[in-house]
Amino acid sequence: MPPRKARIILLKSQTPECVWRYTNGRKTHASRRSFKRSPSRARDVTIIDFGRAIPSSQARGWQQWPGHEDFSLQFLRVLRAAQEGGSTVSECFLAAERINPRDDESWYREWHSAADINRERAAEALASGRIPTALSNWLRAANYYRTAQVMLACSDPRQAAAIALMQDCARLYVQHATPAGEVVEIPWRDGVLQGYFVPAPPATRPLPVVLCVVGQGHYKEEHLHRVPSYALERGLALLLVDLPGQSYSQEMVGSPCRYEVETAISGWVDFLADRSDIDQERIAIFGDGLGAAFATRGANLDDRFAAAVCDAGIWELHERAFIASRISGRAGLGCPSEIEGFNSGSVAANIKCPVLVAMGERDWLDVDHVTECCRVMKQNGLDIELKIFRASETVAPPAQIDIPTVGNEFIFDWIIDRLNSRTK
């Protein structure tokens, strides 16, 4: 039997003289000089270009392209969705293999292609009556279309087209799910705000419900793969909503005015109050990431909520402290007396329901400051609980972006416990 040829893998990395030689599965070193002296061996060489740095796990989660935080953060967001059915690991890494982090067009091209493939599979499955297959493909397609447009300029017409495709896939998913959901609307200014009502499986009515909000730059469709399984397993209905400035229709684009968010959230509570299948005494509000600040403002204005998962106004407190420190030249939110002063004007001051603040140990906000803020608010009478996910739990990055499962399990257990206590 002729000897097996050596396979040489040339790494373009931080060690330019390093060549790995794989012979019969064993790895040994070889020099580039010896390789260059034998050009005829080029056909036996596989070159792997890792670019600027090798993917690695860092403080705020997996970095697919170290040095390109925007690309890596968005990649981690879509990769984590695989746990809830919003992507597949293989599709994510296939797209990443073809993406150049210095080329926004490559990002759009690869994710849009992945979305198209899933949408086409969903259409074929629907035509054949294979609804479960159609549902899973619509869910992934919606997430991939959302991902495709994030690197595009707002003036790029492809952004609006991708978002429209995302919304089409999301609507089909909601309407064909079991139990079937509803695409709902409330009047707003000269138009409407849209939401998805996702009922819990058949059970005793009326149902407890969680109103889910997202922050600026995000879409209600993102919650479709992130929260329904946790809510429905616990007998909770869901209302996923647009707020002012979040719908892509031109009349909605832009930053909302100061009290528009609170007013819109109250409008959605009015919508729930008019439904006979909802228990008006058991309505919770949930916002994570930037949506946590909006949830705080909604719960502060409307006392019909029985529980709130939000940031308790802490992000706004830090913004105020930062501005004050820039004006005065002193560091903000330092000693307890300064924290007490800022908390006295907190947007959470009027919240009447129990509050959960959930954050990672490596979140954007300082854990010690958040802990002290919560202590002061609790001392001032707010029913508040702080949950810090530690790095040892792999839930430490902002908004539990690396592993949402652990965070959502805790959060929805907390919600159902608080809502059920209202019936005792």
Side-chain angles (χ1 to χ4, degrees):
M1 179 181 293
R4 182 182 297 180
K5 288 186 177 181
R7 180 168 61 89
I8 297 175
I9 296 181
L10 203 59
L11 297 180
K12 292 183 179 179
S13 63
Q14 292 91 343
T15 54
E17 295 305 314
C18 175
V19 178
W20 295 109
R21 184 202 306 270
Y22 284 81
T23 305
N24 296 331
R26 300 185 64 182
K27 182 173 72 173
T28 58
H29 280 95
S31 71
R32 286 178 185 264
R33 294 189 193 90
S34 64
F35 169 72
K36 290 176 180 177
R37 285 198 298 268
S38 304
S40 62
R41 294 167 58 192
R43 63 181 177 274
D44 301 325
V45 174
T46 299
I47 298 178
I48 300 177
D49 186 356
F50 285 107
R52 277 57 56 195
I54 296 174
S56 61
S57 180
Q58 299 183 10
R60 288 199 168 97
W62 178 257
Q63 294 289 298
Q64 181 66 21
W65 299 279
H68 298 271
E69 188 172 0
D70 51 349
F71 273 64
S72 294
L73 183 64
Q74 290 297 332
F75 178 77
L76 181 56
R77 187 199 65 79
V78 69
L79 178 63
R80 75 165 188 177
Q83 299 174 68
E84 280 81 30
S87 67
T88 66
V89 173
S90 58
E91 285 177 319
C92 288
F93 281 104
L94 180 63
E97 182 182 321
R98 299 169 177 170
I99 288 172
N100 179 351
R102 292 192 175 97
D103 179 15
D104 291 355
E105 285 297 316
S106 69
W107 178 275
Y108 170 80
R109 180 180 64 249
E110 297 307 325
W111 291 117
H112 201 283
S113 174
D116 286 343
I117 291 171
N118 279 269
R119 183 166 62 95
E120 290 166 5
R121 281 201 299 255
E124 292 172 1
L126 179 64
S128 302
R130 300 190 299 271
I131 301 303
T133 300
L135 289 171
S136 60
N137 280 276
W138 280 322
L139 197 60
R140 293 193 296 270
N143 195 25
Y144 293 154
Y145 282 126
R146 187 269 178 204
T147 303
Q149 57 82 39
V150 296
M151 301 298 175
L152 298 177
C154 293
S155 58
D156 192 324
R158 293 176 299 174
Q159 186 182 66
I163 292 173
L165 287 169
M166 171 194 73
Q167 292 171 334
D168 286 344
C169 291
R171 283 192 287 266
L172 288 166
Y173 176 85
V174 169
Q175 292 167 345
H176 288 84
T178 303
E182 304 170 36
V183 180
V184 298
E185 296 177 344
I186 62 171
W188 182 258
R189 292 186 182 172
D190 296 328
V192 297
L193 292 174
Q194 188 185 85
Y196 302 133
F197 179 75
V198 182
T204 303
R205 298 295 196 266
L207 288 169
V209 63
V210 182
L211 194 162
C212 300
V213 299
V214 295
Q216 286 298 107
H218 294 268
Y219 302 90
K220 64 183 181 300
E221 287 77 12
E222 296 172 42
H223 275 317
L224 272 180
H225 66 264
R226 293 175 59 184
V227 298
S229 62
Y230 305 100
L232 303 186
E233 289 170 354
R234 293 161 176 80
L236 294 164
L238 290 170
L239 180 62
L240 319 178
V241 303
D242 282 333
L243 295 176
Q246 291 176 351
S247 172
Y248 199 81
S249 57
Q250 288 302 310
E251 66 269 16
M252 299 296 180
V253 173
S255 297
C257 298
R258 174 63 181 86
Y259 293 105
E260 285 188 331
V261 166
E262 293 93 322
T263 305
I265 289 175
S266 285
W268 283 116
V269 178
D270 291 340
F271 166 84
L272 290 171
D274 289 338
R275 294 184 66 106
S276 60
D277 56 348
I278 294 300
D279 186 344
Q280 298 180 33
E281 298 299 316
R282 293 192 293 164
I283 300 175
I285 186 168
F286 166 69
D288 64 352
L290 298 176
F294 288 168
T296 299
R297 288 162 58 177
N300 188 63
L301 181 70
D302 198 315
D303 61 8
R304 289 176 289 181
F305 290 110
V309 180
C310 59
D311 74 344
I314 294 173
W315 183 265
E316 184 168 311
L317 291 174
H318 277 73
E319 287 184 325
R320 289 164 51 198
F322 173 78
I323 294 172
S325 67
R326 298 285 290 186
I327 295 173
S328 66
R330 298 171 55 240
L333 280 186
C335 64
S337 61
E338 289 179 323
I339 293 176
E340 175 76 44
F342 278 106
N343 271 290
S344 63
S346 169
V347 294
N350 295 320
I351 295 180
K352 303 295 192 300
C353 65
V355 169
L356 172 65
V357 176
M359 67 176 295
E361 187 176 19
R362 294 170 178 164
D363 212 311
W364 304 115
L365 297 177
D366 181 83
V367 169
D368 292 337
H369 284 168
V370 172
T371 301
E372 182 61 18
C373 285
C374 289
R375 185 196 66 78
V376 170
M377 284 189 279
K378 191 176 188 71
Q379 181 178 293
N380 291 340
L382 182 62
D383 183 358
I384 186 170
E385 179 178 341
L386 172 63
K387 171 61 178 178
I388 299 173
F389 297 103
R390 300 297 177 183
S392 59
E393 301 177 81
T394 69
V395 200
Q400 299 87 55
I401 194 170
D402 58 341
I403 178 168
T405 303
V406 175
N408 284 336
E409 286 171 346
F410 180 92
I411 288 168
F412 281 88
D413 282 344
W414 183 90
I415 290 174
I416 192 62
D417 287 347
R418 297 305 176 279
L419 296 187
N420 283 344
S421 69
R422 301 281 293 217
T423 63
K424 297 178 181 177

